[in-house]
Amino acid sequence: NAGVTQTPKFRILKIGQSMTLQCTQDMNHNYMYWYRQDPGMGLKLIYYSVGAGITDKGEVPNGYNVSRSTTEDFPLRLELAAPSQTSVYFCASRGEGYEQYFGPGTRLTVT
Amino acid sequence: EDKVVQSPLSLVVHEGDTVTLNCSYEVTNFRSLLWYKQEKKAPTFLFMLTSSGIEKKSGRLSSILDKKELFSILNITATQTGDSAIYLCAVERGGGKLIFGQGTELSVKP
């Protein structure tokens, strides 16, 4: 059982480039989340989704976009990458219970 | 604005000590409070609390919620070096949104 998978694990971007962080879960969870974690800080919610076709902004959505065309996938798009987007990105999913399952994270550096 | 505040931000103890980590919150439409442990990778779930005054316990870890005073504590007794980690508190509000605190970094020395 794969759980929540994220790709890539690491990425270096130049300022102004774009990329998509992939997230897939195989637990048929309705809720999915994207967080970023800066060094020494907690998790900041970027976007979340309560089901296919439904997305909503979190605390720090600027510079990001998401889509949720299927239950399984919740990609995060960065347009015009900036150094302030250097962070570790975690995707998570949750079913009708309260436990969130986290992916392994993507470490992104923008230079 | 919703916020979750943890204290202390960092803590250094010796093996065998007991520690108490704090989490206070101001969140509209509160649904639950969750504790996670993070050891250099993705967070792992510890507890979920929804009702005041009911202690959740797992081994040496326990947690309790006070919905009147809007806070929760996480206790760890007889600490071990393997307890060294960042402990994260999160509050779920209606609609599925989770707000995390900044975390408490615990270091347990032998």
Side-chain angles (χ1 to χ4, degrees):
Chain A
N1 195 350
V4 180
T5 57
Q6 289 182 238
T7 57
K9 286 190 168 57
F10 305 94
R11 183 72 187 268
I12 298 174
L13 281 182
K14 293 191 186 304
I15 294 171
Q17 287 185 320
S18 301
M19 78 164 293
T20 299
L21 281 65
Q22 301 291 346
C23 176
T24 299
Q25 54 93 8
D26 62 1
M27 296 172 281
N28 202 33
H29 286 167
N30 284 327
Y31 297 87
M32 294 189 76
Y33 305 83
W34 273 107
Y35 297 94
R36 60 176 287 173
Q37 187 174 34
D38 299 330
M41 303 293 285
L43 298 164
K44 293 287 188 184
L45 181 64
I46 305 171
Y47 271 95
Y48 67 108
S49 169
V50 300
I54 306 169
T55 62
D56 210 344
K57 295 179 180 178
E59 302 165 87
V60 290
N62 292 342
Y64 307 95
N65 274 302
V66 293
S67 60
R68 185 92 185 271
S69 56
T70 66
T71 300
E72 294 78 19
D73 300 306
F74 191 40
L76 177 72
R77 178 84 178 160
L78 278 73
E79 305 282 1
L80 298 175
S84 60
Q85 293 178 305
T86 294
S87 191
V88 179
Y89 291 83
F90 289 104
C91 178
S93 74
R94 179 168 69 86
E96 292 307 318
Y98 287 97
E99 181 176 353
Q100 275 192 322
Y101 294 85
F102 284 84
T106 294
R107 187 174 295 275
L108 176 67
T109 302
V110 182
T111 62
Chain B
E1 182 183 333
D2 294 333
K3 61 180 178 182
V4 178
V5 178
Q6 292 184 244
S7 64
L9 294 181
S10 65
L11 191 55
V12 180
V13 301
H14 288 95
E15 274 192 315
D17 289 348
T18 293
V19 298
T20 298
L21 310 183
N22 303 292
C23 176
S24 64
Y25 62 91
E26 292 178 31
V27 174
T28 55
N29 198 10
F30 173 92
R31 285 193 67 190
S32 66
L33 185 143
L34 303 99
W35 284 97
Y36 291 84
K37 179 181 182 182
Q38 187 176 26
E39 300 170 272
K40 297 192 190 311
K41 51 184 190 291
T44 55
F45 174 79
L46 294 174
F47 297 112
M48 185 272 290
L49 303 152
T50 56
S51 301
S52 276
I54 298 175
E55 186 183 52
K56 292 284 182 89
K57 200 168 170 64
S58 175
R60 295 175 294 103
L61 277 66
S62 63
S63 184
I64 197 160
L65 173 68
D66 186 328
K67 290 169 73 174
K68 183 180 176 187
E69 300 297 330
L70 307 182
F71 78 93
S72 173
I73 60 172
L74 175 68
N75 277 322
I76 309 175
T77 59
T79 51
Q80 302 171 357
T81 55
D83 295 326
S84 295
I86 296 173
Y87 290 84
L88 297 165
C89 170
V91 173
E92 183 191 9
R93 47 174 292 177
K97 186 176 179 179
L98 265 80
I99 311 294
F100 277 80
Q102 68 271 57
T104 293
E105 184 170 10
L106 174 65
S107 178
V108 181
K109 304 292 187 189

